[in-house]
Amino acid sequence: MTDDTSACRFVYICRDPKDVLVSKKASVESPKKVLFLTYEDVKKEPLGCVRKVAEFLGVPFSPEEENKKTVEEIVKLCSFESLSNLDVNKS
């Protein structure tokens, strides 16, 4: 899955310290195939992490999207508060 001929891409977010070593190794060995983010980084800098994911997937935000605060809106829509208030998550 991580060879250069595969179309697969991975975004890996972890909290378990044991997993950190495995994931860091994979991201070093296949930087174009594995994006390594920690939960703590996502919590601390969600805007930067959303931008990293977009760039990693080959669809970086345009200047127009940045000006329209698209990244901020994505972070807001994906927040715990927003997701926990969805009807589907209340029942």
Side-chain angles (χ1 to χ4, degrees):
M1 292 186 294
T2 59
D3 68 12
D4 287 337
T5 60
S6 173
C8 294
R9 291 184 180 230
F10 305 91
V11 175
Y12 185 81
I13 302 172
C14 74
R15 293 183 82 170
D16 186 340
K18 293 178 279 185
D19 290 338
V20 171
L21 295 174
V22 173
S23 300
K24 281 189 176 180
K25 182 179 180 226
S27 67
V28 168
E29 291 175 353
S30 305
K32 293 181 180 177
K33 295 290 181 175
V34 178
L35 174 63
F36 179 79
L37 301 172
T38 64
Y39 176 82
E40 290 75 18
D41 288 343
V42 173
K43 282 289 286 179
K44 185 168 69 174
E45 189 58 46
L47 298 173
C49 289
V50 169
R51 287 183 182 103
K52 280 183 187 180
V53 170
E55 288 178 26
F56 175 72
L57 296 175
V59 289
F61 293 97
S62 68
E64 181 182 348
E65 289 171 320
E66 290 283 357
N67 289 338
K68 289 183 174 179
K69 308 278 187 203
T70 302
V71 180
E72 290 86 343
E73 187 63 23
I74 290 170
V75 170
K76 180 180 171 187
L77 290 170
C78 294
S79 72
F80 177 79
E81 293 79 20
S82 177
L83 294 175
S84 63
N85 286 325
L86 295 175
D87 288 339
V88 69
N89 292 325
K90 291 181 179 180
S91 58

